Amino acid sequence: FVAKGLAGRRVLITAGPTFEPIDPVRGITNLSSGKMGFAIARACRQAGADVALVAGPTMLPTPREVRRVNVQTARQMADAVHAEMAAAAADVFIAVAAVADWRVANASASKLKKTEGGAPPALEFVQNPDILAGVAARPDAPYCVGFAAESEDLERNGQEKRRRKGVPLLVANIGHATFGRDDNELLLIDAEGMRRLERAPKDRLAAELVVELARRVGPAR
Ligand code: C5P
C-alpha cells in the first residue's frame, strides 16, 4: 500500500538555494544543498507520483523520472511554480527550497569595478515573494507542505509559522547545521499535533514523509 501511496498524484517541489544577482558575475545565495528536496522528489516518484522539481542552483543529479526545471532567483522560482500549476493542477506542493528573503534592488547590468580609494557599492534590498504562501492562497491550492529552520521553541514557532503560511503541514528541521549534511532530524507539525522523525539519512526521512503524505492525500482515484 505504502509503496504506491501517491499513485497518479501530481506533486510539485521546490528545492535548493536561490541565487540573487548583484552584477553579472556576483550574487547572494545560501548554503542549502538541495539534498532534502531532491530526496523527497525521488521518494514521491517511487510512491507513484508524477513529480516536477523546481530547483535552484545545485550540482545534484536529477532523480529518475522526475521533471526538473532549473531556476536561479526567487522570482524565477515563483514564476516556474505558478507556470507548472497553470499547466496542470497539482495535488501536492512541497516547498523545501531555501528561498532568499531579499534580492538586490539595485543590481548592476555590468560588472562592478573597484577603484583605488573608491567607496564600496551600496546594495539596496527588496523583499522576495513568499512562494509557499502564494501557492497556499490560490483558489486551486494543492495540499501544501512547508519547511522551517527554526532554532528556538520549535513547537510553538513551528505551529505559528504553519498558520501564518496557511498550510496544513509544516516540517521543522531540528537543530542547526542540516545544510549540506546527509542526515537530518525532523518535526512534523499539523493541526492535530506533532510527530518527531528521529535522526536518519535524508533518503529515509523522505520516505517517512511520503508515508505521512500518502496517509493524508492518498493515491488518485
Ligand atoms: O518564512 P520562512 O522562510 O522561514 O519559511 C520557510 C518555508 O517557506 C519553506 O517551506 C520555504 O521553502 C518557503 N518559502 C518560500 N518563499 C519564500 C520564503 C520561504 O516558498 N520567499
Side-chain angles (χ1 to χ4, degrees), residues 6 44 92 94 143 145 209-218:
L6 293 175
C44 286
V92 180
I94 313 175
Y143 185 89
V145 182
L209 177 60
V210 166
V211 171
E212 292 286 339
L213 272 177
R215 190 174 289 156
R216 289 164 168 87
V217 179

Side-chain angles (χ1 to χ4, degrees), residues 61-141:
T62 307
R64 285 183 59 175
E65 297 174 329
V66 165
R67 207 157 44 77
R68 175 179 185 171
V69 179
N70 288 324
V71 297
Q72 278 201 324
T73 69
R75 283 194 298 179
Q76 288 167 359
M77 188 173 271
D79 288 348
V81 163
H82 289 285
E84 283 292 327
M85 295 203 48
D91 298 301
V92 180
F93 176 60
I94 313 175
V96 199
V99 183
D101 289 318
W102 306 281
R103 65 179 177 275
V104 179
N106 57 342
S108 171
S110 55
K111 188 183 170 202
L112 297 171
K113 293 200 189 310
K114 69 179 173 199
T115 54
E116 210 52 53
L123 300 181
E124 285 162 29
F125 291 89
V126 56
Q127 200 164 313
N128 273 325
D130 189 317
I131 302 168
L132 175 58
V135 170
R138 285 174 63 117
D140 62 347

Side-chain angles (χ1 to χ4, degrees), residues 5-6 15 28 30 37 42-43 51 62 66 73 77 82 95 118 122 142 166 168 176 183 190 198 202 207 210 215 218:
L6 293 175
I28 292 169
N30 62 66
R42 194 176 306 114
V51 182
T62 307
V66 165
T73 69
M77 188 173 271
H82 289 285
H176 296 285
D183 63 351
D190 68 7
E198 297 300 327
K202 287 178 176 176
V210 166
R215 190 174 289 156

